């Protein structure tokens, strides 16, 4: 695919060179004018570009046209040329020609990284590459766009704002990804330039509102974490800090879902037995992430991370379930349904011992969900009985669980407003009755007795109120 | 005289009762519309078109982004899971077929509730090989080349 795109390059590039030659031969004033434009652009931008780059902006030959010995030097020159950052926000209509030249130069350097043979990249290449990447990704025009975003943006909006610098940024991200993932990149050399400062700035970019940018950042972070073992503790610590800030301070961040996707692959690879640091991450970061209002934006990734933990160490099921019960939503039905979905997946990975430790508060919560007026919540809670593993756990502890959930089921079966919930409830009651008829009858009798007691208490209270009224009436006389 | 009085009273009673009747009709219509959201599978026994309706309990949840297993390490028997256990005993064969199909469809949807999974990173090893084929397929650059002439 990339080769096909590059196949279009030679034609246009040669045409451009021909145009440049023609303009140079015809009119010297035009050439000087172009130089002035580039100079003024350089003044407005904050790039650390030298004057040599500007003067040689139009005349660099293609990498394919030079010999192998000259290739690397030309590659370095092209990298320096790409350090010049164009402002797509404040000046979107200026420097069209220069922008296109830079874009094609970026494509050339990406292709060079992809197509280079077995030789390792020397340190000078990594140094210039990192400098170019930093100039483009961590530059001020990038932040200007971010600051201009309106504050009232809806957090749950899936579509974010698109970065106007994307025509150049995409290729820079692709270049960074190729450099990090290339077998010709030596980690021992690269870690001096892709250092903690670089990684920290890269992680700050995750708050971008452009989903295309976050997608690239996610993949790049995944590769850096995988490849540079020396950076792993720092990356985990920095991600923790960003997540703490999100959970306890701002509640606003665009890239939480992407962070959790990377973390999902990291958690997947955790060694057994789990380190204490990782368990703390679960209890202090992943579980509190359930309480935020914008949970729908990242719940799939979050539940995947949590379930990975429970599958690696089944003893954590009790901790996770109690944490979820602590943050269980009360009025947000959409969140409640997500919680029930995640709960079923956690229960599938839960063993009997861990289930018994938390089943009493869990059953009370399930009973509340069964009694919910929101039919989707009640319906989803009823479907827990459709899961074989959950049903097995419940059956082995039915003597404790059934008395808790039975009143809710019986009320649903007789008086819930939604017909589907009624039907499902009757089915669940039949299953429970077939499984343990004696206990079922016992619960039914107790339920009826409790109802009778409630009615008697109600009557007694009515009588007491009536007596009080008579006394008051007689005293008035 | 009596006939006129009776007729008059009947009209008056009907006028007095009509608001109550309208409210009852509105309530029934509302409940019918809410029920139709979720009961498409269970009550629509006759028509096969009812199965195309999305289940009510997933209207709020986001649609699953990709078809992937919920977990790679948990092994559970799919045949057992797919068997519908809510079929009522003694029901007619038509009803059994209907409910079985409905429940299976819903279970399939719920089983796909998962997210995109990136390559696994072993905690104690350098990982620098991540599905190169998928990697090259997914990446796209540039799109249409546009040259602006000034």
């Amino acid at each position: 695919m990339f080769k096909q795109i590059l196949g279009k390059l030679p034609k246009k590039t040669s045409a451009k060179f021909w145009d440049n030659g023609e303009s140079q031969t015809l009119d010297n004033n035009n050439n000087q004018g172009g130089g002035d434009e580039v100079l003024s652009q350089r003044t407005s931008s904050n790039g650390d570009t030298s004057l040599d780059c500007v003067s040689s902006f139009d005349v660099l030959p293609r990498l394919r046209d030079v010999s192998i010995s000259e290739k690397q030097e030309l590659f370095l020159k092209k990298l320096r040329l790409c350090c010049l950052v164009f402002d797509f926000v404040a000046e979107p209509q200026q420097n069209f020609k220069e922008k296109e030249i830079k874009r094609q130069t970026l494509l050339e350097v990406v292709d060079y990284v992809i197509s280079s043979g077995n030789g390792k990249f020397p340190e000078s290449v990594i140094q210039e590459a990192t400098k170019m990447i930093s100039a483009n990704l961590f530059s001020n025009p990038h932040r200007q766009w971010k600051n201009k975003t309106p504050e009232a943006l809806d957090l749950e909006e899936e579509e974010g704002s698109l970065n106007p610098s994307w025509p150049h940024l995409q290729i820079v991200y692709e270049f960074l990804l190729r450099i990090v993932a290339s077998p010709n990149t030596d980690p021992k050399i690269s870690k001096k330039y892709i250092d903690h400062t670089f990684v920290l700035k890269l992680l700050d970019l995750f708050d971008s509102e452009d989903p295309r940018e976050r997608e690239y950042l996610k993949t790049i972070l995944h590769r850096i974490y995988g490849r540079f073992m020396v950076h792993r503790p720092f990356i985990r610590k920095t991600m923790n800090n960003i997540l703490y800030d999100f959970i306890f301070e701002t509640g606003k961040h665009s890239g939480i879902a992407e962070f959790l996707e990377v973390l999902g692959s990291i958690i997947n690879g955790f060694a057994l037995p789990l380190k204490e640091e990782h368990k703390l991450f679960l209890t202090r970061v992943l579980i509190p992430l359930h309480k935020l209002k914008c949970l729908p934006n990242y719940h799939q990734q979050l539940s995947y991370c949590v379930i990975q933990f429970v599958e690696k160490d089944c003893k954590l099921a009790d901790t996770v379930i109690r944490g979820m019960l602590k943050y269980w939503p009360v009025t947000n039905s959409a969140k409640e349904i997500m919680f029930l979905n995640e709960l079923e997946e956690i229960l599938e990975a839960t063993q009997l011992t861990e289930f018994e430790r938390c089943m009493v508060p869990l059953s009370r919560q399930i009973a509340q969900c069964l009694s919910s007026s929101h039919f989707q919540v009640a319906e989803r809670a009823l479907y827990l009985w459709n899961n074989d593993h959950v049903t097995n756990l419940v059956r082995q502890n039915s003597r404790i669980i059934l008395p808790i959930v039975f009143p809710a089921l019986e009320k649903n079966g007789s008086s819930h407003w939604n017909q589907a919930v009624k039907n499902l409830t009757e089915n669940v009651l039949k299953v429970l009755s077939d499984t343990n008829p004696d206990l079922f009858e016992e619960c039914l009798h107790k339920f009826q007795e409790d109802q009778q007691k409630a009615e008697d208490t109600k009557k007694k209270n009515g009588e007491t109120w009536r007596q009080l009224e008579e006394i008051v009436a007689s005293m008035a006389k | 005289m009596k006939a006129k009085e009776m007729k008059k009273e009947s009209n008056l009673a009907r006028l007095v009762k009509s608001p109550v009747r309208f409210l009852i009709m509105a309530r029934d219509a509302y409940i019918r519309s809410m029920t139709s959201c979720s009961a498409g599978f269970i009550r629509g026994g006759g028509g096969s078109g009812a199965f195309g309706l999305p289940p009510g309990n997933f209207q709020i949840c986001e649609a699953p982004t990709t078809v992937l297993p919920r977990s790679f390490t948990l092994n559970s028997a799919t045949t057992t899971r797919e068997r519908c256990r809510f079929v009522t005993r003694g029901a007619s064969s038509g009803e059994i077929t209907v409910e079985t199909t409905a429940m299976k469809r819903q279970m399939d949807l719920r089983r796909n509730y998962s997210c995109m999974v990136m390559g696994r990173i072993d905690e104690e090893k350098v990982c620098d090989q991540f599905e190169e084929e998928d990697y090259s397929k997914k990446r796209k650059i540039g799109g249409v080349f546009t040259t602006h002439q000034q």
Side-chain angles (χ1 to χ4, degrees), chain A residues 28-40:
Chain A
N28 283 334
N29 290 331
N30 188 24
N31 192 19
Q32 292 176 4
D36 288 342
E37 282 184 347
V38 175
L39 281 170
S40 63

Side-chain angles (χ1 to χ4, degrees), chain B residues 37-53:
Chain B
C37 287
S38 68
F41 287 80
I42 296 166
R43 298 179 71 205
S48 61
F51 300 131
L53 295 174

Side-chain angles (χ1 to χ4, degrees), chain A residues 156-348:
Chain A
E156 305 204 3
E157 218 175 82
E158 286 192 10
E159 286 290 332
S161 306
L162 299 183
N163 193 327
S165 305
W166 191 243
H168 286 180
L169 276 185
Q170 182 190 11
I171 313 174
V172 176
Y173 278 121
E174 186 70 28
F175 178 77
L176 172 56
L177 182 52
R178 300 288 176 168
I179 284 283
V180 169
S182 174
N184 300 331
T185 301
D186 192 343
K188 292 177 183 176
I189 295 177
S190 304
K191 68 183 181 185
K192 286 192 283 183
Y193 300 98
I194 302 181
D195 54 0
H196 284 185
T197 305
F198 187 93
V199 170
L200 191 62
K201 289 178 178 175
L202 197 77
L203 290 173
D204 282 341
L205 296 179
F206 270 78
D207 201 9
S208 166
E209 288 165 11
D210 193 329
R212 305 169 298 184
E213 188 170 4
R214 297 198 303 266
E215 185 75 18
Y216 261 104
L217 285 164
K218 176 183 76 179
T219 311
I220 291 166
L221 181 64
H222 181 256
R223 302 289 189 262
I224 290 177
Y225 191 96
R227 192 128 198 231
F228 298 90
M229 288 208 62
V230 68
H231 288 342
R232 291 185 180 187
F234 178 77
I235 292 175
R236 287 201 306 270
K237 180 185 166 193
T238 308
M239 280 205 282
N240 280 11
N241 288 339
I242 294 173
L243 291 168
Y244 283 141
D245 196 57
F246 170 71
I247 297 168
F248 301 110
E249 299 285 341
T250 63
K252 291 179 182 177
H253 199 282
S254 303
I256 300 297
E258 281 77 16
F259 275 143
L260 290 169
E261 279 193 53
V262 177
L263 285 164
S265 65
I266 294 169
I267 295 163
N268 202 341
F270 277 166
L272 295 177
L274 289 173
K275 296 186 172 65
E276 197 60 30
E277 173 205 345
H278 302 329
K279 294 180 183 178
L280 282 180
F281 170 73
L282 170 69
T283 56
R284 292 182 180 175
V285 176
L286 291 185
I287 292 178
L289 273 169
H290 286 81
K291 70 178 181 182
L292 282 107
K293 189 179 180 182
C294 53
L295 178 72
N297 294 343
Y298 56 85
H299 179 255
Q300 288 185 28
Q301 291 85 357
L302 177 60
S303 64
Y304 179 78
C305 291
V306 171
I307 288 155
Q308 287 297 302
F309 263 107
V310 177
E311 286 177 355
K312 281 188 172 295
D313 189 348
C314 58
K315 291 192 175 65
L316 296 170
D318 176 54
T319 303
V320 169
I321 290 174
R322 287 184 184 275
M324 289 186 68
L325 293 176
K326 178 182 176 184
Y327 296 116
W328 200 274
V330 176
T331 58
N332 195 328
S333 300
K335 272 182 74 175
E336 198 162 13
I337 291 170
M338 290 178 184
F339 269 59
L340 286 164
N341 282 323
E342 184 177 346
L343 181 68
E344 182 178 353
E345 300 205 25
I346 291 167
L347 288 174
E348 278 193 8

Side-chain angles (χ1 to χ4, degrees), chain A residues 344-367:
Chain A
E344 182 178 353
E345 300 205 25
I346 291 167
L347 288 174
E348 278 193 8
T350 303
Q351 304 300 317
L352 185 63
T353 310
E354 299 306 311
F355 180 74
E356 286 171 353
R357 290 167 60 173
C358 60
M359 64 184 174
V360 170
L362 178 62
S363 300
R364 289 203 196 101
Q365 181 60 59
I366 297 298

Side-chain angles (χ1 to χ4, degrees), chain A residues 138-149:
Chain A
F138 311 138
S139 59
N140 276 335
H142 191 77
R143 298 191 200 97
Q144 284 175 19
W145 162 74
K146 183 177 169 181
N147 290 335
K148 288 182 178 177
T149 308

